[in-house]
Amino acid sequence: MKFNSVKINRRTVIKSIGASLGVAATASLYGCSDSSSVKPAVVTAEKKPLGIIGKDGRRVLPWSNWSGNLKAQPSIRAVPKNEQQLVDLIKNSKQTIRCVGAGHSWTPLVPTEDTLISLARFRGVKKVDSSTMEAEIGAGTLLSQIGEPLWQQGVSLRNMPDIDTQALAGAIATSTHGTGIGYGSLSSDVSKMTIVDAKGEVHNCSATQNSELYNAARNNLGCLGVVTSATLKVEKAYKLEEKSWVMPLEEALENAPELVTKNRNLEFFAFPYADYAVGLSLNEVPITTPDVEEVQQLEGENPLMTLRSLGDYTESFSWLRSFMLNRAISGIEPATRVNKSYRIFGNIRDIRFTEMEYSIPAESGPKCLKEILDTIKKHNIDVIFPIEYRYVKGDDVWLSPFYKRDTCSISCHNFHDRDYKKYFAAVEPIFLKYDGRPHWGKVHTLTAAEFSTKYSMLNEFLKVRKEYDPEGLFLNAHIKQILGVS
Ligand SMILES: Cc1cc2nc3c(=O)[nH]c(=O)nc-3n(C[C@H](O)[C@H](O)[C@H](O)COP(=O)(O)OP(=O)(O)OC[C@H]3O[C@@H](n4cnc5c(N)ncnc54)[C@H](O)[C@@H]3O)c2cc1C
C-alpha cells in the first residue's frame, strides 16, 4: 500500500476531492450526444424498444446521463434552431416531450421513449442591462459559456454551483445552487423567463407579469413547457480569493455557523472515518488583485482513487482506515487562489459518482452531518468519498428546496460503479429526521405523498402545470410519481 508515498497537496485533494468530486463532464453535447450529426431539426425513428434507425435512415442515439445511472431510447431527438421551429415541433407533436440540458441529473427527470428536445442551439448571453443589473441568457447556454461574456460587459453571476457544465435551463429547473448563506440558488436570481407551453404559445413571466407562472417556472422540473431564455440578476464583475485549509472535524462542526457568516462563500468536506475536514472559503478581493492560479498537477494517480484503494485495503479494519486517512488528510497544505469569480466557482470533475443531497434548516447542519458520519462508522458502511457541506439562503421559489428557509445542504457521494444504495438508505432517514428536502436532480426515494408535506405551494404549482400543459405533454413516469399527477 503506497498511500504514504503519494504526495497529496491541497490542490490535488481540493480539486480532486472537494472540488474534483467528478468528471469529464463535457461528454457528448451535454445530454444530446448526437446533435452534431443531426442536420435537420428533427430525427425520427420507428417506435420500438431500442429502435435506433430513423425513418430517414439516420441513427437516433440512446441517451444516457453524466454518471451513466440513467439510460433511455427516445424515438425522436430534436434540436430546434429557433423559436419558430420549437413552436412547430410542440404543436405537431403526437407524443410526449421531455427537455434535456446537460444530462447532469441523477433522478429520471429527462428519460423518455418519446421526444427529447435539446436547446443546444439557444445559447449565448443576449443582453446585459447595467442599469437594472440583469443579463438575458439563452436557455441552452452552458454555465461555462456565461462567465466571460458577462465579464466583458463588467458584470458576473452572483453565485454559481461547484461545476459549470450544466445548461442554464437545466440548472434552473432543479434550483441548482452553490454555497454562501447570503446567496440563493440560480433559480432565486432569475428575474424573467420565456417559456413555450404545450399549445406552442410563448409566455414571458416575471414577478409582475404572469407571476404565478414565474413562481412555478423558477423550479419547473421541465414539466411546464420549454424554457427558451432566462434573465438573471448580476453583480458588478468581481474577483474571488479561494482559501483552503485542513481543520479538525470537531472544530469545523463547532465553528461552521460562525465561519459561514464571516465568508462570502463557505463549504467544507468531511471525510468518512477521518477526524479532519477540509475548509474552502471564497471572498471578494479588489479587481486589480493579480491572479494566483495553482497548476492542478496530479502526481501519481488521482487522490480520490488513492483513497478508494485505501478504503478497499482497509475495509475490514476501520481503525486502520481512520489512522491512514487521518495521516493523509492532516498533511494537506493550505492554499490560495485568486481569479475572476466564474473561474474560481467552476471545478473540474474527473471521477464519476452518484450523489444524494438534502437541504435541512441551516441551524441543524452540524448535528446532521455528525450523525451521518457516526452512522457510517457504526454500520461500517463501505464509503470513503468526502461529504460536501454547504449553505444556501432561503428564497420564495415554490418548489425550491430552500423555500422560505436558510438551509444547509449536505451531499453524500459514492463512486459511480460502487453500490450506493446501502449508504444512501442509511443516511436518507437522518436527512428526513432533520426535515430535509431532497435536491430534485439527485438520488432520493421520495414520492408525491412526502413532497406534499414538504412543499406548501405544491398545489399552486400543480394548478399552473395543468393550466399550461392540460394534456400532460411534458410529463414522464418520474414526474408523475413525484408530483402525483396521472
Ligand atoms: C458533477 C456534478 C456536479 C453537480 N454540482 C451541483 C452543485 O454544485 N449544485 C447543485 O445544486 N447541483 C449540482 N449538480 C446537479 C445539477 O446541477 C442538476 O441536476 C441540474 O438540474 C442539471 O442540469 P442539466 O443542464 O444537466 O439538466 P438535465 O439534468 O439535463 O435536466 C434537468 C431538468 O431540466 C429540464 N430542462 C432542461 N432544459 C430545459 C428547458 N430548456 N426547458 C424546460 N426544462 C428543461 C429537464 O427536463 C429536467 O427536468 C451536479 C451534478 C453533477 C453531475
Side-chain angles (χ1 to χ4, degrees):
M1 178 61 226
K2 292 187 179 163
F3 192 69
N4 286 339
S5 66
V6 176
K7 283 193 187 165
I8 297 189
N9 63 32
R10 171 276 15 160
R11 198 72 223 147
T12 56
V13 173
I14 291 301
K15 272 299 186 186
S16 296
I17 295 178
S20 148
L21 301 165
V23 136
T26 50
S28 59
L29 199 86
Y30 311 101
C32 190
S33 51
D34 60 341
S35 84
S36 57
S37 66
V38 176
K39 284 288 182 289
V42 173
V43 174
T44 57
E46 296 292 342
K47 197 171 172 203
K48 55 190 172 194
L50 291 176
I52 54 168
I53 304 297
K55 284 179 184 147
D56 58 1
R58 287 170 192 271
R59 275 176 189 275
V60 180
L61 288 184
W63 174 86
S64 149
N65 68 331
W66 173 85
S67 76
N69 74 310
L70 301 171
K71 298 195 188 328
Q73 176 60 65
S75 60
I76 295 178
R77 295 186 74 161
V79 194
K81 284 184 183 156
N82 51 42
E83 192 177 87
Q84 191 53 52
Q85 275 195 356
L86 174 64
V87 167
D88 291 345
L89 189 72
I90 292 174
K91 280 186 173 166
N92 298 325
S93 184
K94 295 188 170 45
Q95 53 185 16
T96 63
I97 294 174
R98 289 300 290 166
C99 278
V100 61
H104 276 47
S105 300
W106 285 272
T107 47
L109 290 168
V110 168
T112 179
E113 292 185 358
D114 290 345
T115 300
L116 187 63
I117 295 186
S118 162
L119 288 209
R121 287 172 170 146
F122 287 62
R123 285 188 177 162
V125 171
K126 298 197 219 169
K127 196 168 102 190
V128 172
D129 184 337
S130 42
S131 62
T132 57
M133 292 305 270
E134 288 175 314
E136 188 187 348
I137 302 166
T141 313
L142 304 179
L143 301 186
S144 59
Q145 298 170 324
I146 296 175
E148 188 54 30
L150 289 189
W151 189 270
Q152 296 300 330
Q153 302 205 51
V155 297
S156 296
L157 291 181
R158 302 178 70 232
N159 202 6
M160 289 179 73
D162 61 14
I163 57 158
D164 57 12
T165 45
Q166 302 95 326
L168 180 62
I172 291 170
T174 64
S175 285
T176 290
H177 63 91
T179 188
I181 198 67
Y183 295 86
S185 71
L186 276 176
S187 301
S188 73
D189 281 340
V190 172
S191 54
K192 290 175 204 144
M193 282 172 99
T194 304
I195 188 161
V196 185
D197 73 9
K199 286 194 210 131
E201 286 171 8
V202 182
H203 303 273
N204 294 313
C205 63
S206 70
T208 51
Q209 182 184 13
N210 290 327
S211 61
E212 304 227 309
L213 178 61
Y214 171 72
N215 288 329
R218 284 180 293 156
N219 186 126
N220 60 69
L221 305 173
C223 68
L224 301 181
V226 181
V227 176
T228 55
S229 79
T231 299
L232 271 79
K233 290 173 216 148
V234 290
E235 279 185 9
K236 199 161 171 273
Y238 58 99
K239 275 191 162 182
L240 287 172
E241 179 183 63
E242 176 193 272
K243 282 187 180 297
S244 60
W245 72 100
V246 176
M247 59 190 146
L249 176 65
E250 286 303 326
E251 189 185 307
L253 293 171
E254 200 181 315
N255 295 346
E258 192 191 331
L259 285 172
V260 76
T261 55
K262 285 195 169 155
N263 294 285
R264 185 188 196 279
N265 310 92
L266 176 95
E267 67 183 307
F268 61 80
F269 298 93
F271 296 75
Y273 299 100
D275 304 316
Y276 292 92
V278 173
L280 192 73
S281 66
L282 309 181
N283 287 296
E284 240 177 284
V285 287
I287 202 111
T288 49
T289 313
D291 293 349
V292 180
E293 189 58 61
E294 253 184 85
V295 180
Q296 186 184 351
Q297 206 171 12
L298 299 180
E299 299 174 49
E301 68 177 350
N302 184 310
L304 256 183
M305 296 311 281
T306 307
L307 284 184
R308 176 175 163 142
S309 308
L310 186 150
D312 290 347
Y313 283 122
T314 56
E315 192 185 342
S316 315
F317 309 100
S318 60
W319 63 269
L320 182 61
R321 182 182 281 193
S322 297
F323 174 76
M324 293 182 79
L325 275 171
N326 283 336
R327 270 192 75 171
I329 298 162
S330 61
I332 298 170
E333 289 165 16
T336 301
R337 284 199 306 155
V338 175
N339 216 318
K340 295 171 182 169
S341 51
Y342 71 89
R343 297 196 55 148
I344 294 284
F345 284 126
N347 295 290
I348 294 175
R349 311 301 205 187
D350 52 8
I351 300 284
R352 275 189 285 173
F353 54 86
T354 313
E355 180 171 338
M356 166 178 276
E357 175 188 299
Y358 269 76
S359 290
I360 57 175
E363 60 281 9
S364 306
K367 229 174 142 191
C368 179
L369 177 61
K370 173 98 174 58
E371 202 167 325
I372 287 170
L373 290 165
D374 289 348
T375 301
I376 293 172
K377 260 190 183 170
K378 186 171 162 201
H379 298 289
N380 199 24
I381 295 171
D382 186 20
V383 60
I384 54 91
F385 223 105
I387 298 173
E388 192 172 14
Y389 181 95
R390 296 184 277 187
Y391 286 93
V392 187
K393 186 178 158 67
D395 61 37
D396 62 353
V397 179
W398 284 353
L399 289 196
S400 153
F402 322 109
Y403 183 70
K404 302 271 185 218
R405 71 182 193 196
D406 289 347
T407 73
C408 170
S409 80
I410 300 180
S411 310
C412 298
H413 318 75
N414 208 351
F415 296 100
H416 78 108
D417 56 351
R418 287 286 162 94
D419 179 18
Y420 59 84
K421 290 191 178 143
K422 184 177 171 203
Y423 178 29
F424 291 178
V427 299
E428 195 170 31
I430 303 174
F431 284 132
L432 294 174
K433 183 175 124 186
Y434 287 96
D435 194 17
R437 297 174 185 155
H439 190 301
W440 292 103
K442 302 186 183 179
V443 176
H444 65 81
T445 63
L446 304 197
T447 57
E450 286 102 354
F451 283 119
S452 65
T453 66
K454 292 193 175 293
Y455 287 98
S456 56
M457 300 307 281
L458 183 61
N459 280 338
E460 280 69 11
F461 180 91
L462 292 175
K463 271 187 224 154
V464 171
R465 193 209 67 74
K466 204 162 179 189
E467 187 184 337
Y468 289 87
D469 182 17
E471 306 295 329
L473 184 71
F474 296 109
L475 297 177
N476 71 0
H478 178 66
I479 296 289
K480 287 181 188 167
Q481 191 188 26
I482 56 174
L483 296 184
V485 186
S486 55

